Amino acid sequence: MGMRHNPDLLCLKEGWISLEFLYARFGDEEGYENFSREFACSSAKWEKYRLNAFAVALLDSLVFPMERGKIHTSLSYVVRMLARGGKTIVPMILAEIIRALIKCTRGKRYFEGCNFLLQLWAVEHFYQRANMVDIIRGSMGNKISNHASRMKYFVSPVGTEDWFVYLRERSATQIQWKYYWLKPRRAIIRGNELYFIELVGLNGVQPYAPLRVLRQFGQIQMIPLRSI
């Protein structure tokens, strides 16, 4: 984003920069003057890079969070691609959610995925509703916009520890396996030779097997066949 290479920043080798570092150089109106030796661009171009820096910080804080205020440096490339138009980060978000959930099942206590989407997905499953199909109400059936009104009777855990306790106490009968607002259809997505598809995420490629979520489509869950 117009900055010179700085070999003294060892964190760059690990693919991150601190939020404070980013804010001091792009968030402050005098950032260019205060750190002019670190920039390889004009002040006019720096003004344009400020918007990119804000987008990087926003994506990292809400969608691809890291621990302790760290910012993914690779998000600068993602922002540049999005600015060109015609791109979507939905597969990347899914890849990072799956990757983070796998790490959590192996003992990692920090979820480095999109927390907002995960919580929306979770409460839709944990809120016990009547065994009936949801009627489309308002917003042309947009289930994200009317999510709050549908979940008004669900008492959500607050904080990390509360979620740990809540999840440990869940049983199969306390989970709403099927999204009743999804139209039943065959949920078979796979490649020509593999029983999964590859989602390109921020930290690499993550395999995803849609056959493992057949219950959300009102079908009997099965164990996917292994590919040779």
Side-chain angles (χ1 to χ4, degrees):
M1 294 191 294
M3 300 196 68
R4 301 180 187 277
H5 175 63
N6 189 346
D8 296 330
L9 288 175
L10 300 180
C11 60
L12 290 177
K13 296 182 179 180
E14 300 178 1
W16 65 273
I17 199 72
S18 70
L19 180 59
E20 291 78 8
F21 180 91
L22 195 68
Y23 177 80
R25 285 148 183 82
F26 295 97
D28 192 337
E29 293 183 355
E30 299 179 354
Y32 185 82
E33 297 178 3
N34 295 336
F35 302 95
S36 58
R37 294 182 179 181
E38 298 183 16
F39 288 99
C41 64
S42 64
S43 60
K45 287 188 176 181
W46 173 80
E47 287 289 349
K48 296 181 180 180
Y49 285 133
R50 293 186 71 191
L51 182 60
N52 288 3
F54 173 77
V56 167
L58 185 67
L59 279 178
D60 200 279
S61 300
L62 300 181
V63 183
F64 306 108
M66 297 183 72
E67 291 184 273
R68 302 181 183 90
K70 297 178 180 179
I71 299 291
H72 288 278
T73 54
S74 53
L75 278 175
S76 61
Y77 299 101
V78 176
V79 169
R80 287 168 58 186
M81 292 297 103
L82 292 175
R84 295 178 183 178
K87 304 292 183 180
T88 176
I89 60 173
V90 172
M92 184 179 296
I93 292 175
L94 293 176
E96 294 308 310
I97 288 179
I98 297 171
R99 187 186 304 277
L101 287 173
I102 292 174
K103 288 184 178 180
C104 288
T105 60
R106 295 174 179 173
K108 187 175 179 62
R109 293 180 61 86
Y110 187 78
F111 181 80
E112 294 188 16
C114 185
N115 292 279
F116 288 158
L117 289 182
L118 177 67
Q119 290 183 30
L120 186 148
W121 175 87
V123 297
E124 290 279 1
H125 280 295
F126 295 145
Y127 175 42
Q128 297 294 302
R129 298 179 295 279
N131 189 14
M132 63 181 67
V133 178
D134 287 349
I135 301 175
I136 297 178
R137 302 185 182 93
S139 302
M140 299 301 292
N142 188 324
K143 296 301 179 178
I144 294 181
S145 63
N146 59 33
H147 168 78
S149 62
R150 254 190 349 274
M151 298 295 114
K152 61 182 178 181
Y153 298 113
F154 175 73
V155 180
S156 177
V158 178
T160 305
E161 295 301 325
D162 284 349
W163 270 108
F164 280 142
V165 174
Y166 183 82
L167 292 175
R168 281 197 299 263
E169 296 177 350
R170 293 304 93 188
S171 63
T173 58
Q174 295 172 310
I175 299 175
Q176 190 93 0
W177 289 108
K178 179 184 175 183
Y179 279 164
Y180 285 104
W181 44 267
L182 280 179
K183 296 180 180 180
R185 60 172 65 93
R186 299 184 69 187
I188 299 178
I189 306 175
R190 50 163 294 184
N192 293 331
E193 299 179 357
L194 303 173
Y195 284 90
F196 58 85
I197 58 177
E198 296 178 338
L199 299 176
V200 180
L202 190 64
N203 297 306
V205 177
Q206 176 67 40
Y208 171 58
L211 288 174
R212 295 184 180 274
V213 292
L214 290 177
R215 281 198 239 189
Q216 294 188 15
F217 293 84
Q219 300 186 27
I220 298 177
Q221 185 64 53
M222 65 180 70
I223 299 177
L225 299 174
R226 291 185 176 271
S227 58
I228 298 176

